Amino acid sequence: MTMMHGFQPRASRRLHAATDNAPDLPAPDSVRYEQLGYMRGFPPAPEKQVTRSDYLVQYPKLRWAFQHMRELIPSRQVRRGAAAVSVLAAGEDQSEAINALPVELRDGSTIDFAEFLQRSYTDACIILHRGKIIFEHYPNQPDPLSPHMLWSVSKSFTGLIAALLVAEGTLDAQAQVTDIIPELADSGWRGASVQQVLDMTADINYSEVYADGTSDVIHYGLSAGITQSPEWTGPTSLYDYLPSIGAAREHGRYFAYRTVHTEVLGWLIRRTSGQDVATLIGERIWSKLGAEEDALMLLDSTGTEWAGAGLNATLRDLARFAEMLRSGGRWNGEQIIPEAIIDDIRGGADKTAFADFGRRGMEGYSYHNQWWVSHNPDGVYEAMGVHGQLIHINPATELTVVRTASHPIASNEFTYEMTRAALEALARHLPR
């Protein structure tokens, strides 16, 4: 999807036009992690150094960076707490059968699941069926305990925290955004409700096209400190940047994916709860999962988390999180998320508003409380991030899949249909 966070590698920017043609990408085997040799030696050779200014524009530096983000950008811990690590049970290893699973693509050709993982530049993947691990693979992540950059998967965590605050009466979903954040009174969010921000049907004058170096999303990234440029003279924090975004069409009629909506949601959460987003995710979710490792959220220059993009976590801990949701919000002997909140997410939102969004491969989807909802018979819902990050939950098949990746293009547009075909083949393969 073009809507997740990231910036287009220079060598590939011209390839990001809306087209059926496959982009001219480096062979996956030519950019394997163990061959890259970045940031080795004391000091590393100049050509092997990775910085905040170049990690997103000099591929494949991002493959190293996505596993070392806290070394490039300030971060805040999402604490795992003092609880014992919860067990992820091992089921029968189905790696051989899953790798060989045929996946039929839109053009009629067939690949196997192993090739799907390779073509999507997978760093790591874990699959659980009925709560047990049946597949776990780290083709490009040498340390399974290294937190991986999740980009817009972060939005779904922020959405859950907002939903918890709404359920508890701390945040009013029908309130006007500007009644809570008067600093946005002259911005595009004037007249929008909290729920419209949650569902991204508030409409603002904002473009999120990573291939366009003048797009608003590039300005967002420079303001937040996602990347740096000596030529940037605009805002240097999220709180300074968000009020500058203007209005567009009427609120509530159109879905348009905009990361800055989630940054406003993070502001709403902080303003009403009196706590930062990382602390709330830690207290309300992460510390209750029996996670193995702390997670972390990246920060702008004023210590504000990127609520829409900054979460980093390990693969197995993300599997714990996904299994908690698949299990109706219950995990490790505790009801972490009320089941009613999960049922509400699964119910989705306005499919008509979403249809105009026009994302091929997502027919029938909607977007609700910062989650992608498929409305297929299995009740699939997902968290997704640019460059291939994915949490996929299939309640009917009792299936969860987590994938981290380092795809060269700052979009899932070129891989989502393949990903959907692979996951549907996997669901058909598993007993119900």
Side-chain angles (χ1 to χ4, degrees):
M1 338 212 32
T2 55
M3 51 272 208
M4 313 299 180
H5 260 71
F7 296 85
Q8 203 71 3
R10 287 194 182 108
S12 302
R13 280 180 177 163
R14 62 184 178 81
L15 302 169
H16 189 60
T19 175
D20 290 335
N21 296 326
D24 183 16
L25 302 177
D29 280 343
S30 72
V31 289
R32 294 187 62 81
Y33 185 97
E34 69 270 14
Q35 299 169 352
L36 299 178
Y38 289 126
M39 300 302 285
R40 295 178 186 171
F42 308 96
E47 70 274 10
K48 293 296 184 180
Q49 293 179 13
V50 182
T51 71
R52 194 195 301 199
S53 298
D54 66 19
Y55 77 101
L56 283 174
V57 295
Q58 294 182 16
Y59 194 81
K61 287 186 176 182
L62 63 78
R63 172 153 272 170
W64 181 90
F66 286 1
Q67 299 172 47
H68 298 268
M69 292 299 289
R70 58 187 167 184
E71 299 169 39
L72 298 175
I73 297 172
S75 64
R76 180 170 294 130
Q77 284 177 294
V78 177
R79 297 187 183 276
R80 66 165 302 277
V85 174
S86 61
V87 174
L88 280 176
E92 179 184 354
D93 184 1
Q94 297 192 35
S95 298
E96 184 175 352
I98 290 173
N99 276 324
L101 189 67
V103 177
E104 185 175 345
L105 303 181
R106 183 186 181 96
D107 63 7
S109 63
T110 300
I111 60 174
D112 59 28
F113 197 88
E115 186 173 354
F116 151 68
L117 293 178
Q118 185 182 50
R119 285 194 189 186
S120 57
Y121 293 79
T122 295
D123 292 334
C125 181
I126 190 168
I127 300 172
L128 288 84
H129 184 229
R130 295 175 178 166
K132 295 183 178 181
I133 299 171
I134 60 172
F135 181 96
E136 188 172 12
H137 187 37
Y138 297 88
N140 285 291
Q141 186 162 345
D143 183 0
L145 295 181
S146 177
H148 196 284
M149 183 66 173
L150 301 179
W151 295 112
S152 288
V153 168
S154 312
K155 293 177 171 66
S156 299
F157 280 80
T158 301
L160 278 177
I161 293 298
L164 283 168
L165 296 181
V166 168
E168 295 163 1
T170 302
L171 179 62
D172 181 359
Q174 303 310 315
Q176 297 284 293
V177 169
T178 53
D179 287 345
I180 301 171
I181 308 175
E183 295 93 326
L184 294 176
D186 296 324
S187 77
W189 285 280
R190 182 180 182 89
S193 71
V194 172
Q195 189 63 57
Q196 287 166 344
V197 171
L198 272 161
D199 293 347
M200 296 205 188
T201 57
D203 208 49
I204 53 176
N205 184 16
Y206 182 89
S207 64
E208 189 145 339
V209 182
Y210 303 106
D212 180 359
T214 65
S215 177
D216 296 313
V217 73
I218 307 301
H219 302 160
Y220 157 75
L222 289 163
S223 299
I226 292 172
T227 189
Q228 294 177 324
S229 170
E231 300 172 1
W232 177 245
T233 59
T236 56
S237 75
L238 289 166
Y239 291 143
D240 287 339
Y241 177 64
L242 294 171
S244 73
I245 298 171
R249 301 166 296 183
E250 67 178 288
H251 298 306
R253 290 189 60 187
Y254 310 96
F255 168 81
Y257 188 95
R258 302 288 185 260
T259 293
V260 288
H261 285 317
T262 317
E263 299 302 349
V264 167
L265 185 61
W267 197 347
L268 289 164
I269 288 169
R270 297 182 201 103
R271 181 63 58 85
T272 55
S273 71
Q275 294 182 282
D276 61 68
V277 178
T279 296
L280 284 168
I281 293 174
E283 290 180 355
R284 306 301 300 270
I285 299 174
W286 211 249
S287 64
K288 300 175 185 295
L289 292 174
E292 292 179 76
E293 299 290 325
D294 287 346
L296 62 102
M297 292 191 80
L298 302 174
L299 307 174
D300 76 0
S301 63
T302 63
T304 304
E305 309 103 333
W306 312 343
L311 189 65
N312 293 243
T314 69
L315 188 76
R316 280 191 158 221
D317 286 340
L318 290 168
R320 290 178 170 90
F321 169 73
E323 274 296 294
M324 177 270 292
L325 295 175
R326 188 193 66 79
S327 302
R330 188 169 184 82
W331 182 258
N332 210 22
E334 185 175 358
Q335 190 72 39
I336 297 173
I337 303 294
E339 192 165 9
I341 289 177
I342 298 172
D343 288 343
D344 179 57
I345 290 170
R346 290 178 57 186
D350 186 350
K351 289 191 287 185
T352 302
F354 188 93
D356 290 338
F357 181 58
R359 173 61 56 214
R360 197 176 73 179
M362 300 193 75
E363 296 82 5
Y365 268 72
S366 68
Y367 190 83
H368 187 43
N369 284 1
Q370 309 280 298
W371 286 83
W372 304 91
V373 184
S374 73
H375 295 277
N376 75 353
D378 287 353
V380 167
Y381 58 107
E382 295 166 322
M384 292 186 281
V386 77
H387 296 285
Q389 322 319 315
L390 174 71
I391 295 175
H392 172 89
I393 302 169
N394 184 327
T397 312
E398 300 174 279
L399 166 68
T400 60
V401 180
V402 180
R403 179 191 64 193
T404 57
S406 302
H407 195 280
I409 303 295
S411 165
N412 291 333
E413 180 179 355
F414 297 108
T415 60
Y416 186 70
E417 287 185 302
M418 177 177 63
T419 299
R420 189 169 183 178
L423 296 172
E424 288 174 353
L426 181 61
R428 291 192 298 269
H429 167 74
L430 295 173
R432 301 195 177 212

